[in-house]
Amino acid sequence: FMEPRPPTPSSLPSKLTVNFVLPYAAELSKAEVDMVIVPATTGQMGILPGHVPTIAELKPGLLSVHEGNDVKKYFISSGFAFVHSNSYADILAVEAVPLDRIDPAQVQKGLSEFTQKLNSASTDLDKAEAQIGVDVHSALNSALTG
Amino acid sequence: MSCSNLTMLVSSKPSLKDSSSPLSFRSFIAPVQIPSSNACNNSISSKPSSSIHCSLRDLRTRIDSVKNTQKITEAMKLVAAAKVRRAQEAVVNARPFSETLVEVLYSINEQLQTEDVDVPLTNVRPVKKVALVVVTGDRGLCGGFNNFILKKAEARIRELKTLGLDYVVISVGKKGNSYFLRRPYIPVDKFLDGSNLPTAKEAQAIADDVFSLFVSEEVDKVELLYTKFVSLVKSDPVIHTLLPLSPKGEICDINGICVDAAEDEFFRLTTKEGKLTVERDVVRAETMDFSPILQFEQDPVQILDALLPLYLNSQILRALQESLASELAARMTAMGNATDNASELKKNLSRVYNRQRQAKITGEILEIVAGADALA
């Protein structure tokens, strides 16, 4: 359970405090980082200390946490990013997996499979399902290569 | 028939469906139920404990089987205790997620106070049909746990009938499934199996079903029936209104008593004076004053649209986890009682056994002495 946030400081803080939570665990809790890049539905969004308070919905994509020269990458399925006025960022993801745990071969296979399904889909439901599969797999692909 | 006291002890819930348990429960019961050659009769004497007269061999067999049963029930109790701890940790781990969701909900609501929120999940319609999601356990041997929930479900169904409302049931958990299967007059929409560790995936399956029922206007209200974890010996079946969601994220009880979503009760398994106890704490999530310059990357209504299903999911997951914790606590208590009963039964049997053994020895000595006397 989370402790209350400190009030807004008068000067710009140097670090961004990130809470990265999943429904079953807290991946990062009060981690002090330099920058976070989240895949919002409107595009990649970078959050730095002193960012204006924002609520953003996230689409499946790459989430990277930058700490000095260290970069931690996660692939998230979807979620929300909530930036507060005192450089606190809450990132909620329904499912997140560190990038090094994803198998590129599987991703390629899945992508070709779903593209095929999309081409041969007959009903609207099948088309929608196949489209979702293609979207997720291409996002995975670009996350792995990008 | 031969000594049937043992079957009384263990057959409170004979359907143990956990076949993965290394202690094969049924194989221990079977030998006992084989009728022995010497029939024993239970004679209720003036003593408070009923005196049992069987042959020495039968008594020994009985004592052995009671000892085995005691070992099994004690093991089950310890396993349940370990699992309760894990279940409690799962609840604690899931809290940051739902807390943050509630915060976002609050902020959005502050912003949208002037606008009319038109999200399908918050539609309040005149109620004609109600969906009941009933959460039960998968296995037996947990005391009255499943019974309480099912009784409450029946009571609620009766209430709805007297109000003239139609209803449909979504059953989660093998025990509930078999109960409703035997009663075809109760309409059941879906049967789902519970699991040892409820994850967002299972919660999503339930959420999807409930969502589609509500949005397609097949039902106008969805109620969630689960067991709230009160203490190790007490559990409380409660009914919560799941849908329609209030945009503020309040959790409403059946009587319309609404609890602010930011207030959250949680339980902690701790040790007090060497005994396992449960402490309940009420924690109020800090709802920060919303910043007037809060920017929305997307349309707030769109965000709300995406947020509420996630909130629904986390509510269901929370209910599943609490239900699991209650079931484990009930099993712990039931197995604890069974262990105590088994040890008492073993004590009584041993006493009778020793007494009979000594009587037999005395008899033999007397025979020998009498024989020696006769010869002399």
Side-chain angles (χ1 to χ4, degrees):
Chain A
F1 35 112
M2 311 204 293
E3 288 152 9
R5 272 190 298 280
T8 313
S10 43
S11 62
L12 266 181
S14 59
K15 291 276 207 193
L16 182 70
T17 319
V18 172
N19 282 322
F20 181 23
V21 286
L22 301 169
Y24 49 83
E27 185 76 31
L28 289 172
S29 180
K30 287 187 173 344
E32 302 253 337
V33 297
D34 292 323
M35 177 171 77
V36 193
I37 302 184
V38 299
T41 48
T42 47
Q44 294 277 25
M45 187 169 92
I47 304 175
L48 288 143
H51 195 283
V52 65
T54 314
I55 298 183
E57 189 187 335
L58 306 177
K59 64 168 185 231
L62 186 64
L63 170 90
S64 47
V65 180
H66 298 255
E67 168 69 33
N69 287 330
D70 227 7
V71 180
K72 265 193 284 209
K73 296 198 185 160
Y74 300 89
F75 186 81
I76 59 173
S77 67
S78 60
F80 287 91
F82 194 21
V83 188
H84 303 276
S85 49
N86 46 8
S87 292
Y88 263 69
D90 293 322
I91 305 179
L92 290 98
V94 179
E95 186 63 74
V97 56
L99 219 52
D100 45 19
R101 294 233 291 262
I102 305 178
D103 181 13
Q106 283 273 18
V107 174
Q108 292 291 7
K109 201 165 68 134
L111 184 61
S112 50
E113 201 183 303
F114 275 103
T115 332
Q116 215 180 24
K117 270 200 208 156
L118 183 62
N119 290 335
S120 63
S122 44
T123 64
D124 269 337
L125 180 65
D126 287 341
K127 257 196 234 159
E129 281 180 13
Q131 183 67 52
I132 294 174
V134 167
D135 282 343
V136 173
H137 278 92
S138 44
L140 268 168
N141 211 2
S142 53
L144 281 172
T145 51
Chain B
M1 204 232 112
S2 57
C3 328
S4 56
N5 274 4
L6 181 61
T7 51
M8 236 161 42
L9 163 71
V10 294
S11 62
S12 54
K13 288 279 193 269
S15 55
L16 176 62
K17 291 195 170 56
D18 186 21
S19 52
S20 62
S21 158
L23 316 158
S24 173
F25 201 64
R26 285 203 198 95
S27 66
F28 281 115
I29 306 284
V32 181
Q33 287 181 335
I34 297 170
S36 62
S37 45
N38 306 334
C40 352
N41 44 341
N42 290 357
S43 62
I44 314 293
S45 65
S46 55
K47 285 184 272 190
S49 63
S50 61
S51 48
I52 308 142
H53 298 291
C54 305
S55 81
L56 280 175
R57 205 170 302 146
D58 287 336
L59 271 176
R60 221 173 331 156
T61 321
R62 269 198 79 183
I63 294 176
D64 278 337
S65 68
V66 169
K67 196 159 52 162
N68 282 331
T69 309
Q70 185 187 351
K71 276 194 228 159
I72 295 170
T73 52
E74 184 153 357
M76 285 190 76
K77 172 180 162 192
L78 294 174
V79 164
K83 284 195 183 159
V84 167
R85 201 169 275 275
R86 249 198 304 160
Q88 169 214 324
E89 272 170 22
V91 171
V92 170
N93 281 339
R95 289 190 84 246
F97 190 80
S98 51
E99 266 184 18
T100 324
L101 268 184
V102 165
E103 273 184 42
V104 180
L105 256 178
Y106 260 57
S107 307
I108 296 188
N109 271 310
E110 306 272 75
Q111 296 280 17
L112 290 182
Q113 260 176 25
T114 46
E115 292 179 38
D116 256 328
V117 169
D118 182 27
V119 181
L121 282 181
T122 57
N123 270 339
V124 182
R125 294 192 288 266
V127 181
K128 289 188 286 305
K129 190 163 180 189
V130 177
L132 277 175
V133 182
V134 183
V135 181
T136 51
D138 267 352
R139 295 153 48 198
L141 291 176
C142 43
F145 173 75
N146 291 311
N147 264 340
F148 285 152
I149 274 276
L150 292 169
K151 264 202 285 226
K152 190 123 189 165
E154 286 280 350
R156 181 70 190 148
I157 289 176
R158 249 175 291 138
E159 261 177 43
L160 290 174
K161 269 208 210 131
T162 48
L163 284 170
L165 297 170
D166 204 5
Y167 60 89
V168 71
V169 169
I170 300 173
S171 165
V172 182
K174 287 207 192 96
K175 286 284 171 181
N177 289 351
S178 55
Y179 180 87
F180 288 116
L181 270 174
R182 284 199 297 269
R183 285 162 180 75
Y185 55 84
I186 300 180
V188 180
D189 188 60
K190 200 162 180 181
F191 292 104
L192 296 154
D193 271 340
S195 70
N196 272 336
L197 208 61
T199 61
K201 205 164 157 196
E202 276 101 26
Q204 191 62 45
I206 305 172
D208 283 339
D209 198 34
V210 153
F211 187 88
S212 59
L213 278 176
F214 187 79
V215 170
S216 66
E217 308 220 352
E218 265 180 58
V219 301
D220 310 302
K221 192 169 189 224
V222 180
E223 288 170 5
L224 185 61
L225 213 75
Y226 67 102
T227 346
K228 215 168 162 71
F229 187 53
V230 179
S231 80
L232 279 178
V233 291
K234 186 167 188 284
S235 54
D236 204 14
V238 292
I239 309 181
H240 273 171
T241 305
L242 203 58
L243 291 173
L245 285 172
S246 88
K248 297 197 190 23
E250 285 168 343
I251 309 166
C252 284
D253 200 1
I254 198 72
N255 301 319
I257 304 169
C258 286
V259 174
D260 218 356
E263 240 174 51
D264 209 356
E265 254 195 300
F266 78 105
F267 55 90
R268 244 175 340 149
L269 193 71
T270 55
T271 48
K272 211 186 250 179
E273 296 152 3
K275 286 208 291 203
L276 279 173
T277 51
V278 173
E279 276 173 12
R280 296 223 92 179
D281 284 321
V282 178
V283 171
R284 213 203 141 83
E286 275 298 315
T287 44
M288 238 181 81
D289 319 312
F290 84 104
S291 170
I293 49 168
L294 190 63
Q295 250 191 15
F296 288 93
E297 276 295 316
Q298 294 92 15
D299 192 22
V301 181
Q302 200 188 4
I303 294 189
L304 205 60
D305 218 358
L307 203 74
L308 286 175
L310 215 54
Y311 183 67
L312 179 75
N313 190 323
S314 75
Q315 288 290 91
I316 296 180
L317 183 63
R318 175 77 191 279
L320 287 177
Q321 283 170 336
E322 275 217 31
S323 216
L324 176 73
S326 314
E327 181 193 336
L328 290 168
R331 183 164 300 128
M332 216 170 102
T333 327
M335 288 294 106
N337 288 341
T339 311
D340 292 337
N341 290 345
S343 58
E344 198 182 313
L345 184 62
K346 194 173 90 169
K347 216 168 21 165
N348 288 341
L349 284 175
S350 305
R351 211 174 285 145
V352 172
Y353 176 76
N354 285 328
R355 218 173 290 143
Q356 281 216 333
R357 193 174 49 92
Q358 288 171 337
K360 189 165 170 201
I361 293 172
T362 315
E364 281 177 22
I365 295 176
L366 282 174
E367 268 176 50
I368 297 171
V369 168
D373 250 354
L375 284 174

